[in-house]
Amino acid sequence: MFDGIQRRVVSMWFPRLASDRALRAYPVAGPFALTLKQKNAERVHCLNAVAEALGLHRGMPFADARAFCPDLQSRPADPRGDARLLATLARWAGRYCPWVGLEGEDGLVLDITGAAHLMGGEAALMADLGARLERAGFAAWLGLADTRGAAWALAHSGGGIAAPGDQGRALAGLPVAALRLDDDTVTALQRLGLRRIGDLEAAARGPLARRFGAEVLARLDQAMGRLGEPVAPLPEPPHYGDRLSLPDPIGRVEDVMAGTARLLEALCARLLAREMGARRLCLTLRRVDRGSQQVELRLAAPLRDPARILPLFRRGVEAADAGFGIDQLRLEATQVEPLPARQLSTRAGGLQDGGRLDDLITRIGTRIGLENIQRFLPADSHIPERAFQIAPAAWSRPEGAWAPPRPRPLRLFPPEPLVGQGAEPPARFRWRRLSLSTARATGPERIAPEWWFEDEAWARGLRDYWRVETHQGRRLWLFHTPQVPGWFVQGEFA
Amino acid sequence: MPASLDKFFPLRPARVHEVCGPSATAFAALACARTAGPLLWIYESWPAERLNPLGLAAFFDPARLLVAECRDQTDCLATAEEALKDGAVALVLAEISRPLNLREGRRLQLAAKAGGATGLCLIPEGMGSNAAETRWRCAPVCDPVHDRGEGADSTRMRWEIIKNKSGTLGFWDVRWDPAARRLDVVSPPGE
């Protein structure tokens, strides 16, 4: 602990954080509950004020709650969303002091030592905090004291401010449950007649420690300030960005590239330290006339090698308009992905070739769009158009297992109608202004539509496919639709 | 009697070639089959006619293939030039829809020489560029004998070399054997 510095700690408790969050998104009049499935039963996770006033309580089976209160409205709870909200609130609370930590699942703790005067004093700070949270729709109880334990006790018993050094008197009348003890210990203390914190202070410490262990006394000492308890602030999310301000404006492509190289060195060192790779980079060129130009680079694979990234920027930098000159460069990795260190391999076709191909994809992608460079992946379907998928190459890996059950055409096109009758391929037909005659027909191969998809192209039902070799040479893939008679060409073989 | 196909067909590396005719896709697939390493197939996004990887699987493993879908012909050519110059892919196939002028053809040729990759342009009939190393015309031919059993399809084609910067012209009848992964030169059908 610091000697001579009076610490002041605010504890915030959100008694109905989850339901407040749900109701902020979709307000509901009347009793409302969030339900969570615990131990194979729907239980009440959180309630709004109206439902609490009706006598419902947390943890009760949802069926019972409905029986007590037939017009209870409910939604499923989202504990992860609540945790995200608490982290957001912690970031927001940074407007009062830099030292903000989480307190359990529904509370925050702020160390406002030396920061209260910025908001006009402690009372003004508390009033501002309360007013802003109320306006945002959150029920919050606030406690302010010298220690984290005392502030917690005040927040959980109705809120209040303990004057500096006065927590002993402020807490004396509060029940022992306000000391952050578990339920069994609280019950045991109450059986001994130690109902209030004041009673606990007055009791002899030796017998207490022998009976309850060190925990009770440690919590009491933390609340009274005899034992330190720090507030651990949340870690700052890592920032992958850097900037370079120049004393004189520059305009040549080489100069801008040299500046970018310096920024990339620093950025890639930071990425390396965290084993991350950049997937999307944004270079902002600020001009002397305050205009700015952005060069965005989307990479085909996560990357943190400056020598490989730098040449990829050249095309964008050449296209940028320097105007009267550029006096600030800013480079930021706007999207990063984990990129663990890998063992180098000397195997042929290993890492090095993959890297070259990825660089090529990136370079082409800056021109035609990264998602337009694709690869084929096999798909499990008999429908010719759905027997493969097209996936962007930058976000997929090649997969094997290409085993067509029967010969398939090299090219597919939307079905083109033919004049023909009967279930056998027509002996002579015209297709694309060619007059063709059938030399050999192999088939039929019947393919049924996938009824679980609504597909307009398959509205004619079953298809009997024939491979037709013509006297003129062309080898076509014809199909007949027996349900709605008709002949079509859908593909061409080698 | 024309010279042996072996002198011409695994296409001369680090050059740009052209192919036209109805069987141009099959010729391109065979060129892919005869090339080791990654492949890039560049086409425009508007034609409704699409490559079918299941059909290509009879010639080579489609896992090696990358496709680039370009907005227009200019993007196609720029992508082809970039890929040829880089050399990370062994074979670049570009589908061309308008006549190439000499400058465009020459640029592709220089890029291929610089990067060491082979290029193959699939052109409509009569739209080639003078800078191409070779130009082929490929058409399917009806196979009068069907000696490979039921269920097997003939892939007999007539390959004609109609332009060659460093050699003679000629024509061959060929057939691809998908089971043995072998290209057979067959004698032309008797009259």
Side-chain angles (χ1 to χ4, degrees), chain A residues 445-488:
Chain A
E445 179 191 355
R446 175 160 287 190
I447 297 181
E450 291 176 334
W451 51 265
W452 53 95
F453 286 119
E454 196 75 38
D455 192 348
E456 203 56 39
W458 283 73
R460 297 176 80 99
L462 296 174
R463 293 181 180 183
D464 286 338
Y465 279 94
W466 292 81
R467 299 195 302 278
V468 169
E469 190 170 350
T470 60
H471 283 119
Q472 287 73 21
R474 308 293 287 258
R475 286 176 278 264
L476 301 173
W477 209 32
L478 268 59
F479 70 84
H480 174 57
T481 49
Q483 290 170 326
V484 185
W487 280 92
F488 298 86

Side-chain angles (χ1 to χ4, degrees), chain A residues 356 374 411-412 467 475, chain B residues 50 67 86 95 153 156:
Chain A
R356 262 185 88 185
Q374 301 153 341
R411 294 242 178 212
L412 284 176
R467 299 195 302 278
R475 286 176 278 264
Chain B
R50 286 302 155 119
V67 294
D86 187 84
E95 295 188 11
D153 271 313
R156 186 166 180 152

Side-chain angles (χ1 to χ4, degrees), chain A residues 327-350:
Chain A
D327 65 352
Q328 192 189 69
L329 308 177
R330 205 176 122 72
L331 181 67
E332 191 178 1
T334 45
Q335 192 184 347
V336 292
E337 277 179 17
L339 178 64
R342 270 191 295 177
Q343 179 142 11
L344 289 174
S345 119
T346 50
R347 190 164 47 87

Side-chain angles (χ1 to χ4, degrees), chain A residues 163-432:
Chain A
D166 199 26
Q167 62 268 28
R169 206 166 52 79
L171 262 55
L174 300 183
V176 285
L179 280 178
R180 296 180 281 173
L181 298 171
D182 58 57
D183 290 346
D184 291 346
T185 315
V186 169
T187 315
L189 284 170
Q190 283 175 344
R191 286 204 183 124
L192 293 182
L194 301 171
R195 296 182 187 282
R196 308 201 171 274
I197 295 176
D199 302 341
L200 209 56
E201 273 282 88
R205 293 172 67 88
L208 268 181
R210 272 200 300 280
R211 174 139 188 183
F212 293 104
E215 162 129 25
V216 173
L217 289 177
R219 287 298 190 194
L220 184 66
D221 289 349
Q222 281 175 345
M224 293 305 165
R226 292 186 290 263
L227 198 62
E229 187 182 10
V231 174
L234 297 175
E236 282 283 312
H239 177 70
Y240 301 105
D242 224 336
R243 71 175 169 212
L244 180 68
S245 298
L246 305 163
D248 282 318
I250 58 172
R252 292 171 61 226
V253 172
E254 282 71 28
D255 296 343
V256 177
M257 291 300 282
T260 311
R262 279 199 207 175
L263 288 174
L264 261 180
E265 288 283 342
L267 180 70
C268 290
R270 209 173 302 167
L271 287 166
L272 180 64
R274 293 187 181 270
E275 293 216 327
M276 301 296 266
R279 194 68 197 246
R280 189 183 289 212
L281 290 155
C282 185
L283 176 68
T284 310
L285 309 174
R286 206 190 63 185
R287 303 191 308 209
V288 283
D289 58 1
R290 298 274 153 185
S292 63
Q293 304 241 313
Q294 293 207 331
V295 179
E296 194 174 48
L297 186 64
R298 295 167 69 197
L299 298 168
L303 206 59
R304 56 162 178 256
D305 180 1
R308 274 176 67 191
I309 300 176
L310 186 63
L312 303 174
F313 266 117
R314 179 165 280 276
R315 189 184 139 81
V317 169
E318 278 170 359
D321 176 15
F324 294 108
I326 292 161
D327 65 352
Q328 192 189 69
L329 308 177
R330 205 176 122 72
L331 181 67
E332 191 178 1
T334 45
Q335 192 184 347
V336 292
E337 277 179 17
L339 178 64
R342 270 191 295 177
Q343 179 142 11
L344 289 174
S345 119
T346 50
R347 190 164 47 87
L351 204 63
Q352 266 182 340
D353 282 10
R356 262 185 88 185
L357 197 58
D358 284 341
D359 284 359
L360 176 65
I361 292 173
T362 306
R363 206 139 6 99
I364 297 174
T366 56
R367 180 168 187 115
I368 65 169
L370 201 54
E371 56 284 328
N372 288 333
I373 303 164
Q374 301 153 341
R375 72 169 96 240
F376 296 117
L377 299 178
D380 193 13
S381 172
H382 290 295
I383 305 288
E385 305 92 318
R386 287 207 211 101
F388 60 92
Q389 300 176 30
I390 297 179
W395 289 279
S396 62
R397 292 280 117 214
E399 284 174 38
W402 288 97
R406 281 159 193 286
R408 288 282 181 252
L410 275 181
R411 294 242 178 212
L412 284 176
F413 33 82
E416 298 171 11
L418 289 184
V419 179
Q421 281 167 350
E424 296 283 315
R428 314 184 71 81
F429 54 93
R430 286 186 71 80
W431 170 68
R432 292 190 183 175

Side-chain angles (χ1 to χ4, degrees), chain B residues 25-48:
Chain B
T25 311
F27 183 87
L30 278 163
C32 292
R34 286 299 183 87
T35 313
L39 313 158
L40 178 67
W41 200 307
I42 303 162
Y43 48 74
E44 286 175 78
S45 51
W46 58 266

